[in-house]
Amino acid sequence: MSPWYEESFGLPYLQLYAHRDAEEAAKNAQRIMELLNPRKDEPFLDLGCGAGRYLQVFRKLGLTRLVGLDLSEALLKVAAEKLATPEQRETPQEDIQLVRADMRAIPYRNYFAAVASLFTSFGYFGEDEENAAVFREVYRVLKPGGKFLIDYLNRYHVLRHLVPCDEDRFCAGYVRNVRYLSQNGRRVEKDTLFVNLEGKENVFHESVRAYRPSEIVVMLKDAGFVNIHRYGSLAGEEFSPDSPRLVITAQKEEAR
C-alpha cells in the first residue's frame, strides 16, 4: 500500500483546495520575501510546490531563478501548464525549473540562496528520522549563508481547536472532513470525502506529524542551522501557543 502522500495529491486535491487562491498566495508571498529577503537573481526553491501557486507569484515579484520541487507528477503537470500561459510569460524572467523528486533526496548541492516549505509540507513521513532527513537535505542544498523558511502547523493551536467532524458545500462540490489524533497523540489525521459537481466521490487521507515548536528547533539545530527565529504567522508576529501557525526561519552557516 502506497504512503498517503503518494495517493492524495492528485487533480481532485486541487478542486478540494480551490479556495486557496492567487490572492492569498500573493499576500503570503510578499511576507515570505520580507522574512527571507532573498536576492532576486539567486536560486530560490519552493519545496513541495504542488501546482505552482506560489511560483507564479514569486515570478511576478521578480525572482528569476526559481525551482519548484514536488513528488506529485499530476500537480507538476498543472504547474507547468499554468506557468506557460501568456499572462505568466509577459515578463522576461528565465523559465522556472520544475523537478519531480522526494524532499528527502533533493538533487542539488550548495545551490540555493533560499528555500521555502509552505502550507504544512513537512511532517508527512512516518518516522522522525525521515522527517529530520528533510532538514538535513535543505541544509545540504543551501549555499553557505542561505536561508530556510518553514510554514507549519502550530501543535498547540491545532489541539485546542481540532474540529472532529465538519461538512460543507462550496463551489467545487461537497466535502466532509473527519479529524483525529493518532493513538500516540503525535500525528494529526484527516479523512476527507469530496464529491465534485459531477457526483464523483474521492476519498483522501492526510497524516502529519504534529511536532512541538521546540522539537522543530532541535531538529533544525541538529541539521546544522543557526540564527533560528520563530513567528506566529507569515506576517512575522511573535509566536505564542495561540498563534494560528508556526513559522520558522533559519540559516546555513557562512563559509569560513
Side-chain angles (χ1 to χ4, degrees):
M1 186 174 180
S2 300
W4 72 268
Y5 49 82
E6 293 184 7
E7 300 291 334
S8 293
F9 295 120
L11 296 180
Y13 171 85
L14 295 180
Q15 294 179 300
L16 181 62
Y17 286 99
H19 59 290
R20 301 289 184 177
D21 57 17
E23 182 179 351
E24 179 195 54
K27 179 176 66 176
N28 288 339
Q30 184 60 55
R31 292 169 171 175
I32 292 163
M33 294 283 282
E34 292 169 1
L35 288 173
L36 288 178
N37 192 28
R39 283 186 52 173
K40 293 183 178 181
D41 60 346
E42 291 278 5
F44 185 108
L45 173 63
D46 182 354
L47 185 63
C49 67
R53 184 165 61 109
Y54 277 96
L55 290 172
Q56 296 177 69
V57 179
F58 287 138
R59 171 191 267 173
K60 290 181 178 180
L61 290 175
L63 297 183
T64 61
R65 298 178 65 186
L66 288 162
V67 177
L69 182 147
D70 205 278
L71 189 61
S72 171
E73 185 174 4
L75 296 188
L76 286 173
K77 182 178 179 180
V78 173
E81 293 170 353
K82 288 183 177 180
L83 293 165
T85 62
E87 178 185 359
Q88 282 290 311
R89 296 303 301 150
E90 286 178 356
T91 52
Q93 283 97 326
E94 299 174 19
D95 288 341
I96 296 172
Q97 297 179 45
L98 296 175
V99 179
R100 184 170 185 257
D102 190 306
M103 64 180 70
R104 293 167 292 184
I106 305 172
Y108 294 85
R109 183 178 181 84
N110 294 332
Y111 181 74
F112 296 101
V115 175
S117 171
L118 307 173
F119 196 36
T120 310
S121 297
F122 177 76
Y124 290 178
F125 305 115
E127 301 296 330
D128 289 339
E129 173 58 25
E130 295 177 281
N131 292 316
V134 176
F135 286 166
R136 292 196 297 270
E137 278 295 278
V138 172
Y139 188 89
R140 185 183 63 81
V141 303
L142 280 169
K143 294 180 178 179
K147 296 180 180 179
F148 177 42
L149 180 146
I150 176 170
D151 164 35
Y152 182 64
L153 61 80
N154 175 8
R155 176 185 172 88
Y156 305 126
H157 185 273
V158 168
L159 295 185
R160 289 176 182 175
H161 300 279
L162 188 70
V163 178
C165 184
D166 62 20
E167 57 183 345
D168 189 23
R169 294 187 182 277
F170 63 116
C171 60
Y174 165 82
V175 61
R176 184 179 72 233
N177 297 303
V178 177
R179 304 176 185 86
Y180 51 98
L181 296 179
S182 60
Q183 288 187 343
N184 59 15
R186 293 182 176 181
R187 305 186 70 88
V188 178
E189 313 279 351
K190 183 167 76 169
D191 296 321
T192 298
L193 170 66
F194 172 55
V195 184
N196 67 18
L197 296 178
E198 288 73 41
K200 183 177 179 180
E201 293 188 1
N202 292 276
V203 178
F204 302 90
H205 178 68
E206 298 178 40
S207 176
V208 176
R209 178 71 158 89
Y211 288 106
R212 295 178 176 84
S214 59
E215 292 175 312
I216 294 286
V217 170
V218 168
M219 293 168 71
L220 288 167
K221 288 182 177 178
D222 287 346
F225 285 98
V226 297
N227 298 330
I228 299 170
H229 301 283
R230 297 188 298 180
Y231 304 96
S233 73
L234 288 170
E237 300 163 346
E238 183 177 352
F239 177 80
S240 78
D242 294 322
S243 296
R245 303 290 291 170
L246 171 64
V247 175
I248 295 183
T249 59
Q251 189 173 22
K252 183 173 182 174
E253 286 191 298
E254 297 278 359
R256 297 179 180 178

